[in-house]
Amino acid sequence: MDSFFARNRLSSYLDRTLPKNEAEAISEAIARDIALSADVQAMQKTLSMMHTCGRAQAPTGFNARTMASIAARPVPGSQVAWLQRRMARMPAELLALAGATIVILIAINRADDGADPQPGAQQSTIEAPVEVPKDNTEAVDEASDTAAGEPTEPVPPPSGDAVATVTKSSPSKARTPVPTTLPYDPSSPLSYRILHGGDQVLYDIAVLADETGGRLVDVHGKLFTPHSLNESRSFSQLYLITNIDEAPKAHAMLIERSGMEPYPINGPQPPLGEDETVFLIEAQL
Amino acid sequence: MSEAPNLIRRFHAGEANAFAELVSTHQDDLYTLCLRAVGMDKAEALAETVLLAAHQALHRLDPDTHLYNWLMQLAVEHIEASGPNKGDPSGGLDEQSTTIQTLLDALETPFRVAVIMRDIIRLSEIQIAEILQLPLGTVRSRIHRARLNMARSIAPIMDNV
């Protein structure tokens, strides 16, 4: 073996991981070549120093200092972290709240004045209930009452076109409270849709999972990592697995968050443990 | 490196001591890697940063993950992001330790990390390949080149150490 190939195998030679015949060939090359022999000696010295003096122990109190730093931070995935995320988004929400308050105050003032409503305004107030989905009868009644004190008449059920119009033009109106008393049947797992959930909807679902002591997984049962939704990644399908005792609570919270009636799961489900049940969640930006 | 049994599961279950146990189990290897990779000045802060990042990510880690490898992988990512060591290599170390640090500082980060794991922390080449997520041949090559560079740098001063 020439010196070039021998030099390329010096590490393995010193680690004693070479086959016997190859190690013997390298020993012969080292005996022949003074430069190679010097490399071997220098490498042996380096290895010896690293083996004996290289390791270090963590400084005294390192563990305590690290744990103190960790204690000063919010627990990941907890309600504190959730609150911090909310606080970061507060200015936009406050602005929206202020805008909504102004609109409501103007509407109340107009109703109190008893003035003839503008034709356009009347039309929009009457049309609003028609745009609300079927199950929001309470909202329909309220809106009818504010229509310049006119007698309440039965409001025709919304057509499919009208509901579709709402979904496209004003998504916030589509999210209406749904009774959370719908019975939960553990023998038939359900799927819940969260439309227009916002970019942080998956984090909200993670908080919901925390509150019900559950975990979020994909269809194979691997833990699901929440992430922000955006235009290019606007939909996510995940499973919440909870203990069967927590299932009614999770069911109620999911219906409240979804604002829509759940439907039975048709398709694969992640593997479940004993006394566990599963909820399919389809979340959209 | 043996794994602490079910440490990730215990952390997921909310056991208060689970993370403290993780720190005390792995702190020496983690600190050694940081010390030799970025120097005395930044080592402790970097090791703490790695553990904080681990704490933030651990709640969504698959319980079957090899915790030690994952932690070292996280450390390597932070080391690569922190850049080369420009501090004083002696910084409180004895003469031989300073010599090692000087030789390591002269290496590029990928070679330095590989040789630290192999010859100082004494991990196997297979485990290093798993941590660095590289083919075994690449890891062997990096270790060999690092050793050879260090050997050639130490030769002129070998009589003094």
Side-chain angles (χ1 to χ4, degrees):
Chain A
M1 183 179 291
D2 69 21
S3 298
F4 176 79
F5 289 107
R7 185 169 277 107
N8 280 341
R9 285 163 177 72
L10 280 188
S11 270
S12 305
Y13 174 74
L14 292 176
D15 284 343
R16 300 175 199 280
T17 55
L18 287 177
K20 192 178 175 186
N21 58 343
E22 207 170 331
E24 284 171 359
I26 290 177
S27 296
E28 288 170 13
I30 291 169
R32 281 198 313 269
D33 187 333
I34 295 174
L36 189 60
S37 171
D39 279 348
V40 171
Q41 282 183 22
M43 197 180 277
Q44 275 175 328
K45 178 70 181 174
T46 311
L47 290 180
S48 161
M49 283 170 62
M50 284 199 285
H51 292 170
T52 53
C53 309
R55 282 192 76 88
Q57 287 189 330
T60 310
F62 174 77
N63 191 327
R65 285 193 293 277
T66 304
M67 293 311 293
S69 299
I70 285 168
R73 290 181 167 216
V75 178
S78 71
Q79 291 183 6
V80 179
W82 175 82
L83 190 62
Q84 284 189 341
R85 286 197 299 272
R86 288 277 164 187
M87 293 289 280
R89 292 159 52 200
M90 193 58 92
E93 289 176 348
L94 272 179
L95 203 63
L97 191 63
T101 308
I102 290 168
V103 170
I104 290 167
L105 284 176
I106 290 171
I108 289 172
N109 272 343
R110 282 188 179 178
D112 285 350
D113 288 348
D116 288 342
Q118 297 292 322
Q122 185 179 10
Q123 191 181 0
S124 67
T125 328
I126 293 170
E127 276 180 2
V130 179
E131 293 175 357
V132 175
K134 273 183 197 173
D135 48 6
N136 190 15
T137 51
E138 203 176 310
V140 168
D141 289 342
E142 268 181 27
S144 299
D145 289 343
T146 54
E150 287 181 8
T152 308
E153 291 184 8
V155 178
S159 69
D161 290 346
V163 175
T165 309
V166 168
T167 312
K168 282 179 188 168
S169 60
S170 56
S172 59
K173 286 181 184 174
R175 186 180 297 161
T176 52
V178 168
T180 57
T181 50
L182 287 176
Y184 174 72
D185 178 7
S187 62
S188 59
L190 295 171
S191 173
Y192 304 77
R193 279 191 177 153
I194 302 177
L195 303 177
H196 309 290
D199 60 344
Q200 302 292 303
V201 62
L202 297 182
Y203 293 103
D204 294 343
I205 295 169
V207 172
L208 191 151
D210 281 350
E211 287 173 356
T212 56
R215 62 183 188 279
L216 299 178
V217 298
D218 64 12
V219 70
H220 306 295
K222 289 194 75 173
L223 280 179
F224 179 88
T225 305
H227 53 80
S228 298
L229 294 181
N230 52 42
E231 291 298 325
S232 61
R233 205 177 175 191
S234 63
F235 176 79
S236 194
Q237 189 178 59
L238 60 154
Y239 295 82
L240 168 64
I241 295 179
T242 69
N243 190 287
I244 204 126
D245 296 337
E246 293 289 332
K249 182 182 173 188
H251 168 73
M253 292 173 79
L254 281 170
I255 287 188
E256 191 176 353
R257 185 69 178 81
S258 161
M260 298 171 70
E261 282 194 35
Y263 56 91
I265 298 179
N266 293 320
Q269 296 176 25
L272 299 177
E274 254 184 62
D275 297 331
E276 284 187 335
T277 188
V278 64
F279 303 85
L280 171 61
I281 303 166
E282 294 171 325
Q284 190 190 55
L285 177 66
Chain B
M1 172 61 63
S2 62
E3 279 288 277
N6 299 321
L7 208 51
I8 304 175
R9 283 192 174 83
R10 285 163 54 200
F11 182 84
H12 286 179
E15 191 181 312
N17 290 332
F19 197 79
E21 193 177 321
L22 179 154
V23 175
S24 58
T25 305
H26 299 306
Q27 63 177 5
D28 285 346
D29 279 3
L30 180 63
Y31 180 73
T32 298
L33 177 61
C34 293
L35 171 71
R36 293 307 184 185
V38 301
M40 180 72 98
D41 294 345
K42 296 194 282 184
E44 184 174 346
L46 184 66
E48 190 176 310
T49 304
V50 171
L51 288 167
L52 289 176
H55 186 261
Q56 292 293 309
L58 200 58
H59 74 283
R60 52 176 187 266
L61 189 68
D62 188 327
D64 295 327
T65 305
H66 193 294
L67 187 55
Y68 180 85
N69 286 3
W70 176 75
L71 195 61
M72 296 301 263
Q73 199 178 336
L74 203 58
V76 172
E77 285 171 13
H78 280 76
I79 287 165
E80 285 169 349
S82 76
N85 175 26
K86 292 175 181 170
D88 175 16
S90 64
L93 302 173
D94 61 39
E95 190 180 350
Q96 283 207 339
S97 207
T98 304
T99 305
I100 293 170
Q101 194 64 54
T102 308
L103 297 172
L104 287 168
D105 288 349
L107 300 173
E108 289 177 32
T109 304
F111 298 95
R112 188 170 1 139
V113 166
V115 82
I116 291 169
M117 287 183 176
R118 181 74 183 103
D119 292 326
I120 294 180
I121 303 178
R122 309 297 292 272
L123 303 180
S124 70
E125 290 172 336
I126 292 172
Q127 191 172 4
I128 297 169
E130 285 171 2
I131 292 169
L132 299 179
Q133 296 178 321
L134 290 171
L136 189 56
T138 307
V139 169
R140 282 182 177 148
S141 165
R142 285 186 183 184
I143 292 167
H144 175 68
R145 282 183 59 185
R147 284 174 174 177
L148 204 56
N149 278 344
M150 291 175 78
R152 286 175 176 173
S153 302
I154 202 176
I157 56 171
M158 205 158 66
D159 294 337
N160 301 328
V161 292

